[in-house]
Amino acid sequence: MRNCAAKLTRTALLAALLCAALTAGALAAGGLGAFAEDRAAYQTGLFLDVAEGAWYESAVKTVVQKGVMNGAGDVFLPDKPMSWAEAVTITARIHALYHGTEIPADADGAWYRRYWDYITDAGLLPESACAAWQAETADISREDLCLLVRGVLSNQDLPSIQDSAIPDLNATRNSSRNAVRDLYAAGIFTGKDGGNFRPAANATRAEIATVVTRLICPAQRVGADSRLDKTMAGQYGNFLVNGETVRLNGRSYYLVRTTRYDAANGRVTLLSEIVSRTDSGAVATVYRTGNGLTRLGADEQGRLYFVETTGEKPGWDCMLRRLDASGKGEPETLYTTDRIDGYVLYDGAIYVLERIGDGDDVENWSYRIGRLTGRSLRHLTPVMHFDETLYTDRSLYCFGGKLYYLYGGSDGTTDGETFRNYSLYEIDLQTETRAKIIDGANCENLYLSEIAYVGPTAWFLGVAEDGTRVLKRANLRLPELVETVAAVPPEANRDYVTMFANGTTVYYSASSAKKLWEVSPAGAFTERASLSAWPAEEHPALTPQGVVSQDADAVLLPDGRETSYRAILGRPYLVRGTARLEAASGEKIYVAPRMRAEDWSGGLVREFRAADGSYVAEIRLVNGTARDVKLDAIAFECKIGNVTVSARFTVSPLAAGASQVYTFVVPSQALGVSAHAEKTALDWWYYVLE
């Protein structure tokens, strides 16, 4: 038996730990809406024993902000076992707020007695509970915690978002088994050590904070859907924002495109490849075509998916194709339409966003989403028009038997200006019914142009009262309960932004900052990568081989070095700098209005044919001004035989008075001509911006 001094110390500690909890009348009744507002502030480092990035950090932040739990001075004591008295007190306060009831005034006896009586009267106290007089010294088990909190929320606020098996379910008591199943399915409990529940283990304060957070803030519940394609689940964000890189069976696969002008028939042609690369650098071509390739995906059977564009019809003529990742055999054509702007693999089916239209006449473009059945598409949406679907292609997502996507269609007005926001829609894949679940047009503080999916949770942007940008999130099954996560740092709120998630990790990039951040569940921004070559609108992808910025032809390697996208694939269109091939166009020299062309000079240093037939040209550019200037691009075009190849790439700022030599290498296989073919023309130019 503990002595009186020890008991008094424990009593004082319990009082300190619970002192910030809400009283029953603090908020009006409103179900989970009663927890919408923050009641206290939280900042990283508030508790010495809650490290930034700890698995329970987000939960501690939430329970403190909502006023449900607090620490003891400058510590939270996350590993301390929770007593029955503490657990009952917290549960009673949550139940009272949720149901709009009152907890009776102080009763005679222990400090927790009125909460104990309230839970007993509400019928929530399990038969396995200790005696009331023991509650302060008896620690609650995970199984009993599950029984205690199961009855707090109604069934409609505990939708199923988790279908993983519970390995040790049979170790639970018969009386608690249904409660354990329900809270696992709702994403409240997720288990430990491979998903085991460990019913007899003590429940720590960190675990209680996590359970409470998931109860009152559905956006932080954890889901799992076995119908998701496991290959894409951890890299789906790359697919949504980029579609140029995919990871499969220990290899990374990349799309590489070359633009060529064939003088024989007077038109620009493409040479497109899917290239595999091991982490050690071994490269192989999996597929090569003269058509355009986009939207690279993969499945659990080791097959690659991609969209191939022939351009033979006015409406683009796109094919969704599938190929064994080894490159053996011919690609299988799954579906052909005017244009395919997105697709998603789910539960053995393929869902496609197709664009129907006549060439470049955008007024005639329309969109439909459907399920691929055989070689035809069963439409699941009505016709959607071009001016209302700008972001649909980067928002297709399936979870829990439903397909989600962004779609516009409503204008709003603020400060006298008309704006368009986008709403989040869902399609029930069994009933094929369609519904708007977040109405962006009627929510002035939401900005739904960028969205990231983490299991059953959607992350998106919002606007605070002071006009600054904030991160928000919502559970897809309880979308009306939008949670504000954190303010977006000023540096991350510049110009064009992109947000996506791979697995359970959210990433955020901003064009002017030219940085990629990792965002923790608690909303902390940690810089993950900085690429100097990112253009104004860039969608980075992440692989073990580096952060890929394909549009800028740049890769940030794991060791921090920056290199060329083409260089890591053995297809270097230039040796120094970064390159992006496209059709040559524009003035020979273009400078900003207040720049003088005569301040710039340069010329061809040398040109030669390498032993393997590659063409090499070195071009020097001199900044004759008295200040550092941003050099937007330098480009060249050469004609070898009957093929014209042009290259354009962005470069770093050029210092005042400095000169730089840029070396271009055009491999012979890209030219498609003999190594002895003569060069008949060379042209080059540069672009300078203020």
Side-chain angles (χ1 to χ4, degrees), residues 473-491:
R473 62 188 167 202
N475 187 305
L476 292 169
R477 297 296 303 278
L478 295 168
E480 66 278 6
L481 301 168
V482 177
E483 174 188 357
T484 298
V485 184
V488 176
E491 187 184 16

Side-chain angles (χ1 to χ4, degrees), residues 159-163 185 223-229 344-347 351 397-404 426-431 453-457 475-477:
S160 177
I161 57 172
Q162 162 83 265
D163 65 0
D225 187 347
S226 60
R227 292 166 291 185
L228 289 171
D229 187 279
V344 56
L345 312 177
Y346 180 73
D347 198 20
Y351 298 90
Y397 178 67
C398 289
F399 188 89
K402 297 185 178 183
L403 183 147
Y404 298 89
E426 69 176 17
I427 302 172
D428 188 302
L429 298 178
Q430 183 174 5
T431 64
Y453 300 103
V454 179
T457 300
N475 187 305
L476 292 169
R477 297 296 303 278

Side-chain angles (χ1 to χ4, degrees), residues 28 55 211 239 256 336 379 428 612 675:
W55 65 266
V211 168
F239 177 75
V256 190
T336 301
H379 296 128
D428 188 302
D612 64 355

Side-chain angles (χ1 to χ4, degrees), residues 268-395:
V268 175
T269 62
L270 288 173
L271 176 64
S272 300
E273 296 177 290
I274 300 176
V275 178
S276 73
R277 185 181 186 275
T278 65
D279 293 346
S280 60
V283 174
T285 298
V286 176
Y287 180 60
R288 179 179 288 140
T289 178
N291 299 323
L293 298 178
T294 59
R295 303 192 178 277
L296 187 60
D299 68 13
E300 297 175 47
Q301 287 72 49
R303 299 174 296 190
L304 298 172
Y305 292 74
F306 53 91
V307 174
E308 184 167 346
T309 307
T310 66
E312 295 175 356
K313 290 169 52 180
W316 302 81
D317 197 9
C318 285
M319 300 176 289
L320 177 60
R321 310 197 78 185
R322 182 167 62 195
L323 174 70
D324 189 278
S326 66
K328 297 178 180 178
E330 292 297 316
E332 176 187 6
T333 300
L334 304 174
Y335 184 60
T336 301
T337 186
D338 286 359
R339 183 178 172 109
I340 297 172
D341 274 7
Y343 64 90
V344 56
L345 312 177
Y346 180 73
D347 198 20
I350 304 174
Y351 298 90
V352 176
L353 169 66
E354 67 174 350
R355 179 197 297 181
I356 307 297
D358 184 11
D360 294 329
D361 187 359
V362 299
E363 296 297 327
N364 294 328
W365 288 356
S366 60
Y367 297 78
R368 288 177 297 193
I369 298 174
R371 179 191 290 111
L372 198 59
T373 304
R375 294 293 187 269
S376 61
L377 201 66
R378 176 179 175 82
H379 296 128
L380 301 176
T381 66
V383 172
M384 301 181 290
H385 296 289
F386 170 78
D387 64 341
E388 300 173 342
T389 55
L390 183 60
Y391 293 98
T392 303
D393 61 326
R394 295 219 314 274
S395 64

Side-chain angles (χ1 to χ4, degrees), residues 76 171 180 251 432 566 569 571 602:
F76 186 79
V180 172
R251 289 175 175 261
E432 299 186 0
R566 295 179 180 276
L569 300 180
R571 287 148 175 79

Side-chain angles (χ1 to χ4, degrees), residues 42 62 215 236 285 310 346 350 451 473 683:
Y42 179 91
T62 299
L215 273 174
Y236 193 64
T285 298
T310 66
Y346 180 73
I350 304 174
I451 192 165
R473 62 188 167 202
D683 204 358

Side-chain angles (χ1 to χ4, degrees), residues 95-119:
H95 185 275
L97 286 169
Y98 180 81
H99 291 277
T101 56
E102 293 287 339
I103 296 176
D106 288 340
D108 294 335
W111 59 269
Y112 57 85
R113 185 72 202 198
R114 63 190 184 115
Y115 303 103
W116 191 276
D117 292 342
Y118 176 88
I119 288 295

